[in-house]
Amino acid sequence: MTRLGIVGAGSLGQTYAATLATTGTEVVLLATERSAARLRAAGAIRLHGAVDLEVPVGGVHLTTDPRDLPRGAGVVFTTKGRELPEAARQVRAGWPAADDRDAWVAGIQNGVVKDDVLAEVFGIDRVVGGVTIVGAQREEDGRVAVTSRGATYFGELEGGTSARAQAAVDAFNRAGLPTELAPDIRSVIWSKMCNATGFFGVTCLTRIASNHFGHYPELVNAYMGLIRETAAVANAYGVQIGAYPAFPIKTYLDRTDEENIAWFGERAAPFDPSPNAPLSRTSMLQDLLAGRPLEVDAIFGDVCERAKRVGVPVPKLEIVRDLVRAIDPGRATR
Ligand SMILES: NC(=O)c1ccc[n+]([C@@H]2O[C@H](COP(=O)([O-])OP(=O)(O)OC[C@H]3O[C@@H](n4cnc5c(N)ncnc54)[C@H](OP(=O)(O)O)[C@@H]3O)[C@@H](O)[C@H]2O)c1
C-alpha cells in the first residue's frame, strides 16, 4: 500500500488527505494543534463541490507530531508559502530518520522558491517537484469547497522519471485528482509561475474577475508583458516554458498581441449585473478582498530577485511587485 504524509490540514491538505485515504493510500495528516483540534471537534473531513466526501477523522492518521510521518514515504507540504520554512524545520526535527534513504518531500505552493526552501532543510536529493491547480477553499462551517480536481504534476527536479514520483502520481490518480508525471517539472513550475505573475498582477491591481479579464485588451497586453518577462527569467535559468492545458503559456508567447487579445476576448464571460452572477477570482485577489496577507514575496519578490541575479531586466514585474506590496493587507505585520 502506498503511504504518504500531508503537512497542513487546510484547503488542499484536507482535500488530498480525504481523497487519498479513501482510495487505498495510507495517509498521515500532520496538522497544527489548532486545526487538529478543529477537525477532531468536527469529527470528519468534509469536502463538497467538485468532490463530495465525508471522511471520519479516524480514516486518516491525524497527528501534530512529525515523528508519526511514515518511514520511506513521500511527504507533501500544503502550508502557505510563508509558513513553509517553519513547517519544514518542524518536520525535519522529527522526520525522516537518518537511515531512511527513501523518504522524500514535495511542496505545491505557488512560485519557485518553495523547492529551495525544502532543499535547504531536507537536502536537494529528497525534493520532488510538485505543481497543483486543484482548487479548494475552507469555509466558515469547517467544510472545504473543492472548485477543481486539478491537474497536479510531480516530477524530478533534475528531469526524467522515478519510481517515487510515479508512486505519488498513481496514488493521486486513484484519488480522482488527475495527476501527471512531468519529465520536465521545472518547465511546469515556471510556466505556472508565468501564469501567476501575469494573472495575479493584473487582477489584484484592478480587482477584475478572471472570467472578465478578456474584455480588457489593455489587461491582456499587461498580462502578456508580465509573462514575457517571467519567461525570460526562466530561460536565463535554462528552463523552457511549455503549454499545459490549464496554463498554455508557450501558446500565448507564440501568438501576436492581437491574436491573444482576440483569443481572450472570445472567452470572456458576459458581464452580468445580477448580484449572484458567478465571478471567478484568482487566489491572490481572493486573499486581497478578504484582508489576508498576499503571497507577494514568493511570487513577485522572488522572480525579481532571480532576474537580478542573472541580469535579466524585469521593469514591469518590479512595478507590479512594488504596487502589490503597497496594497498587501499583510504589509503592517511583515
Ligand atoms: N487552495 C487552492 O486552491 C490552491 C491551489 C493551488 C495552489 N495553492 C497553494 O497551496 C498553498 C496552500 O493553500 P491552501 O489554500 O490549502 O492554504 P490553507 O487553507 O491556509 O492551508 C494551509 C494549512 O497549513 C497549516 N500549517 C501552517 N503551518 C503549519 C505547520 N508548521 N505544521 C502543520 N501545518 C501547518 C495551516 O494551519 P492552520 O489551520 O492552523 O492555519 C493550514 O491548515 C498556498 O501556498 C497556495 O499558494 C492553493
Side-chain angles (χ1 to χ4, degrees):
M1 183 187 257
T2 310
R3 298 155 88 207
L4 287 173
I6 305 290
V7 179
S11 328
L12 285 185
Q14 290 187 52
T15 304
Y16 290 168
T19 53
L20 287 161
T22 46
T23 51
T25 297
E26 198 180 311
V27 176
V28 177
L29 176 60
L30 179 71
T32 57
E33 295 286 351
R34 176 170 61 162
S35 44
R38 255 194 316 245
L39 275 179
R40 287 197 184 102
I45 297 176
R46 291 172 296 150
L47 311 180
H48 74 102
V51 179
D52 265 304
L53 198 56
E54 184 162 323
V55 179
V57 165
V60 298
H61 180 168
L62 176 66
T63 182
T64 57
D65 187 345
R67 288 172 299 185
D68 292 335
L69 287 166
R71 188 181 162 83
V75 165
V76 181
F77 283 78
T78 69
T79 65
K80 293 281 194 203
R82 67 179 172 283
E83 299 163 333
L84 183 62
E86 180 58 21
R89 276 192 294 274
Q90 283 174 2
V91 168
R92 186 65 194 92
W95 178 95
D99 64 345
D100 184 352
R101 297 240 175 96
D102 295 332
W104 58 270
V105 294
I108 46 62
Q109 292 70 21
N110 288 316
V112 175
V113 69
K114 42 114 185 170
D115 291 324
D116 294 352
V117 171
L118 291 174
E120 202 181 310
V121 175
F122 293 96
I124 187 74
D125 292 345
R126 289 202 191 271
V127 183
V128 169
V131 168
T132 201
I133 55 159
V134 168
Q137 242 175 299
R138 286 194 273 183
E139 298 190 321
E140 296 269 314
D141 65 4
R143 294 186 304 164
V144 174
V146 183
T147 52
S148 159
R149 284 172 177 264
T152 297
Y153 300 84
F154 289 109
E156 294 297 331
L157 293 170
E158 290 300 310
T161 59
S162 69
R164 60 185 186 177
Q166 185 66 57
V169 167
D170 293 344
F172 272 63
N173 278 316
R174 279 197 306 273
L177 305 174
T179 301
E180 285 180 34
L181 181 67
D184 188 355
I185 191 74
R186 292 177 77 218
S187 168
V188 186
I189 293 170
W190 273 96
S191 300
K192 186 172 179 237
M193 179 72 149
C194 286
N195 206 43
T197 55
F199 255 132
F200 290 172
V202 299
T203 59
C204 275
L205 293 172
T206 60
R207 301 189 175 209
I208 284 173
S210 325
N211 54 343
H212 289 160
F213 149 83
H215 289 301
Y216 303 84
E218 53 278 58
L219 285 190
V220 177
N221 282 338
Y223 171 78
M224 287 308 303
L226 294 168
I227 283 184
R228 283 199 189 91
E229 288 188 359
T230 310
V233 181
N235 292 162
Y237 284 93
V239 178
Q240 298 308 312
I241 296 302
Y244 302 92
F247 41 98
I249 306 298
K250 183 172 182 333
T251 309
Y252 303 158
L253 291 170
D254 289 345
R255 290 195 191 121
T256 63
D257 284 351
E258 292 67 31
E259 285 168 337
N260 278 317
I261 287 168
W263 193 86
F264 283 108
E266 283 159 18
R267 281 154 186 82
F271 285 116
D272 178 351
S274 64
N276 294 327
L279 288 177
S280 85
R281 293 191 169 112
T282 58
S283 63
M284 196 178 271
L285 178 55
Q286 287 175 32
D287 286 343
L288 177 68
L289 296 176
R292 295 187 290 257
L294 307 182
E295 294 190 303
V296 56
D297 288 326
I299 307 291
F300 297 104
D302 183 63
V303 75
C304 291
E305 266 305 310
R306 283 173 204 271
K308 204 163 140 191
R309 273 183 240 146
V310 287
V312 172
V314 289
K316 295 184 169 93
L317 286 165
E318 285 173 353
I319 288 178
V320 170
R321 174 201 60 194
D322 294 345
L323 294 174
V324 176
R325 270 186 182 156
I327 59 168
D328 178 6
R331 179 186 166 77
T333 56
R334 269 212 316 269

